[in-house]
């Protein structure tokens, strides 16, 4: 008997044998855990969207106040004419 056949026989023996008992509250605990995960994801998603919205508003207010697209005033005086 090859090692693969021996392993296959052991697996078949485990699967054909008596199955272990499932704890009574396992389904209830799994549902509660799933609800917690969904709630956490929902809260994180809402927080992310709120943070993105706040950043967009802050950028808009900053851009409206500082006007970064405007040309800054010249630091050099214009040439004098008529001297």
């Amino acid at each position: 008997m090859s090692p693969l056949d021996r392993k296959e026989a052991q697996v078949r023996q485990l699967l054909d044998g008596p199955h272990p008992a499932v704890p009574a509250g396992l389904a209830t605990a799994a549902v509660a855990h799933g609800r917690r995960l969904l709630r956490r994801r929902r809260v994180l998603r809402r927080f992310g969207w709120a943070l993105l919205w706040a950043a967009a508003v802050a950028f808009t207010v900053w851009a409206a106040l500082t006007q970064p697209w405007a040309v800054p005033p010249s630091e050099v005086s214009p040439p004098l004419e008529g001297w």
Side-chain angles (χ1 to χ4, degrees):
M1 189 181 256
S2 72
L4 291 177
D5 292 338
R6 194 171 319 127
K7 287 182 181 182
E8 183 179 343
Q10 288 174 349
V11 169
R12 287 185 188 275
Q13 183 182 11
L14 286 173
L15 291 176
D16 289 340
H19 299 292
V22 177
L26 183 64
T28 308
V31 168
H33 182 69
R35 284 187 181 145
R36 282 193 306 270
L37 285 176
L38 287 176
R39 190 177 321 123
R40 186 177 303 141
R41 285 182 189 162
R42 190 179 315 127
V43 166
L44 286 174
R45 189 176 298 124
R46 286 181 181 170
F47 177 73
W49 279 110
L51 187 65
L52 181 65
W53 183 82
V57 168
F59 175 76
T60 304
V61 168
W62 169 80
L65 293 176
T66 61
Q67 297 180 354
W69 57 87
V71 178
S74 177
E75 297 292 328
V76 179
S77 62
L80 294 174
E81 294 181 16
W83 275 84

